Amino acid sequence: MKPFRGSFTQQEPIAEDAIEAAVEVLRSGRLHRYNSVAGETPAAAVLEAAFAAYQGARYCLACASGGYAMAIALRAAGLRPGETVLTNAFTLAPVPGAIAAAGGTPALVEITPDLVVDLDDLAHRFEATGSRFFLLSSMRGHLADMDAVAAVVARFGAVMIEDCAHTMGATWQGRKSGSFGLAGCFSTQTYKHLNAGEGGLLTSDDPEFMARAIILSGSYMLYGRHGAAPEPSVFETIRLETPNMSGRMDNLRAAILVPQLQRLSENIERWNERYRIVASGLAGCEGIVLPKRRDEEGFVGSSIQFLIPNVAPEAARAFVAAAGDLGVDLKWFGADEPVAFTSNHTSWRYMPAQSLPRTDAVLSGLFDMRLPLTFSAADCAEIAAIIRHCHAAVIGGRRR
Ligand SMILES: *Cc1c(COP(=O)(O)O)cnc(C)c1O
């Protein structure tokens, strides 16, 4: 079989209008978000206003990274040192890391084979821990039944913060991911849906929460220069009671994000075209299971996940190696040792050891692949064919 030659880490170039906006910021020399002249709205503030409007949120804060947005969101929500924060166990290392950064103790909740939080276990862990916080991670863009999640969180009087690193632009029954709890946290790191290299966006409708987050992010007394912030009066006491945890976004990053945001809806369509081609190419392969997507879910197919249930570890490793030999970059969540960006709870040893038998069973057969927009439709069909071929050769699946 002919190997695939494309690069799974190659995103599209930054478009010319964004490059021009970046050059303009560079020429001005005013890269710091508060370094503006009279009558000028700095790019960071423009981005905040634009993203708040996109999200349908009252407030938005641009900051240093998605992980940073989560950490200050937890603090701004009132997390006290040592308090337990629940989060679903299928997530990326920066999520428990953000809980640790905010002084909390992560406690992981089981997931279902559809890669979303297990609501019975969520209720069980709220009861067992008395936690006041749930950081929902819509990992790899899989949305749980958001109304049901919000109902469980409300039943325990807890606060929900959403990690939307892979659900920027995704919806549940037409409502944007990130709008179901107190706050939504987004990333503009290269491998997410907007690309500024690094960066984060935090949204909320709650004025006191957002005032605390803005002061935490390092606004000094310049919070009046934000693009989607609460009224200055809301900051009156908050500005003196809240530490400055310096983690702002600069105008250079913001400048390249504003034009990208205008193309996000179009790009979501393009990701989903690619997703559908790979998904249909795998759908007929016996032994490969695609997680169910509910009709209510409007997802962004910027990556694809599939399960080979009950695959033995040696077979999983051989399958990933065979695909790799043919140029297809698969990640496996069941490995003992973390590899590159991919890890699981067994290697997050700064937190208490977690018992997650159902999650472990899912992760042991879970494979993951990026779908950058630089791939054509033909590339996607070729990739699906290679995966089927490697599955047949290594795992012994038969075509239906
Ligand atoms: C990338 C990612 C993050 C962290 O975003 P950064 O901007 O890199 O800090 C958090 N959660 C998930 C699920 C991610 O994929």
Side-chain angles (χ1 to χ4, degrees):
M1 185 151 211
K2 195 161 74 52
F4 176 66
R5 299 278 174 211
S7 164
F8 284 79
T9 54
Q10 183 60 57
Q11 304 291 41
E12 293 192 295
I14 301 299
E16 288 304 319
D17 54 351
I19 292 175
E20 270 165 38
V23 170
E24 204 177 302
V25 171
L26 290 171
R27 291 221 164 96
S28 78
R30 294 187 293 278
L31 277 72
H32 192 285
R33 68 168 298 161
Y34 302 126
N35 183 202
S36 54
V37 293
E40 179 182 54
T41 308
V46 173
L47 174 66
E48 286 165 342
F51 194 71
Y54 176 80
Q55 236 347 78
R58 285 175 77 185
Y59 310 119
C60 175
L61 168 68
C63 62
S65 72
Y68 182 85
M70 288 184 271
I72 61 166
L74 288 167
R75 275 196 197 261
L79 180 71
R80 292 188 290 260
E83 257 192 293
T84 297
V85 178
L86 301 179
T87 192
N88 42 296
F90 176 46
T91 188
L92 207 72
V95 177
I99 297 170
T105 303
L108 304 181
V109 181
E110 296 267 31
I111 58 155
T112 73
D114 293 325
L115 310 184
V116 298
V117 64
D118 179 325
L119 292 178
D120 293 335
D121 195 53
L122 179 62
H124 166 75
R125 303 227 182 201
F126 268 129
E127 261 157 27
T129 62
S131 174
R132 304 188 295 141
F133 299 94
F134 178 44
L135 178 52
L136 171 69
S137 182
S138 297
M139 174 70 165
R140 292 298 191 260
H142 295 270
L143 280 179
D145 177 337
M146 292 306 298
D147 298 318
V149 173
V152 173
V153 173
R155 178 145 64 89
F156 290 93
V159 165
M160 175 160 71
I161 291 167
E162 291 177 69
D163 165 20
C164 307
H166 285 128
T167 53
M168 182 190 279
T171 54
W172 178 261
Q173 286 191 318
R175 186 167 152 196
K176 287 254 164 68
S177 172
S179 70
F180 290 84
L182 176 62
C185 304
F186 302 82
S187 170
T188 64
Q189 188 244 75
T190 291
Y191 299 112
K192 313 301 161 87
H193 300 169
L194 300 178
N195 177 10
E198 301 284 358
L201 294 161
L202 175 64
T203 57
S204 181
D205 290 337
D206 184 299
E208 280 80 26
F209 166 85
M210 190 49 84
R212 282 192 292 274
I214 288 172
I215 300 287
L216 284 166
S217 78
S219 71
Y220 303 90
M221 296 300 128
L222 299 166
Y223 44 80
R225 299 200 198 169
H226 278 243
E231 290 301 308
S233 61
V234 181
F235 291 81
E236 211 40 54
T237 52
I238 286 172
R239 74 200 169 120
L240 306 174
E241 293 169 354
T242 309
N244 175 329
M245 301 194 166
S246 210
R248 295 167 300 275
M249 181 180 284
D250 58 89
N251 286 332
L252 186 54
R253 287 196 175 92
I256 67 173
L257 289 170
V258 172
Q260 288 182 44
L261 183 59
Q262 290 163 3
R263 284 189 279 270
L264 179 56
S265 301
E266 179 189 324
N267 281 344
I268 289 172
E269 287 307 310
R270 296 173 65 218
W271 265 306
N272 288 350
E273 283 165 29
R274 287 155 179 77
Y275 183 96
R276 282 190 286 267
I277 294 168
V278 178
S280 64
L282 298 181
C285 186
E286 200 173 326
I288 290 187
V289 178
L290 291 165
K292 270 194 292 297
R293 300 275 199 181
R294 305 245 223 139
D295 290 341
E296 294 91 332
E297 188 184 4
F299 64 93
V300 184
S302 54
S303 67
I304 189 164
Q305 293 70 41
F306 60 90
L307 293 152
I308 303 179
N310 307 314
V311 67
E314 321 78 72
R317 270 189 289 272
F319 172 63
V320 169
D325 287 343
L326 289 172
V328 171
D329 191 359
L330 292 180
K331 295 158 192 172
W332 175 46
F333 278 94
D336 296 335
E337 282 293 317
V339 180
F341 287 106
T342 309
S343 62
N344 66 40
H345 69 94
T346 58
S347 56
W348 305 334
R349 297 198 190 147
Y350 55 85
M351 67 165 89
Q354 311 278 314
S355 170
L356 297 156
R358 278 173 282 159
T359 297
D360 291 342
V362 174
L363 296 183
S364 68
L366 178 60
F367 300 86
D368 171 43
M369 185 175 81
R370 286 195 177 115
L371 288 174
L373 291 174
T374 49
F375 287 177
S376 65
D379 289 341
C380 294
E382 193 182 331
I383 289 164
I386 289 174
I387 294 172
R388 284 198 308 265
H389 168 85
C390 295
H391 183 267
V394 178
I395 320 268
R398 290 170 289 115
R399 294 299 312 279
R400 250 199 281 266

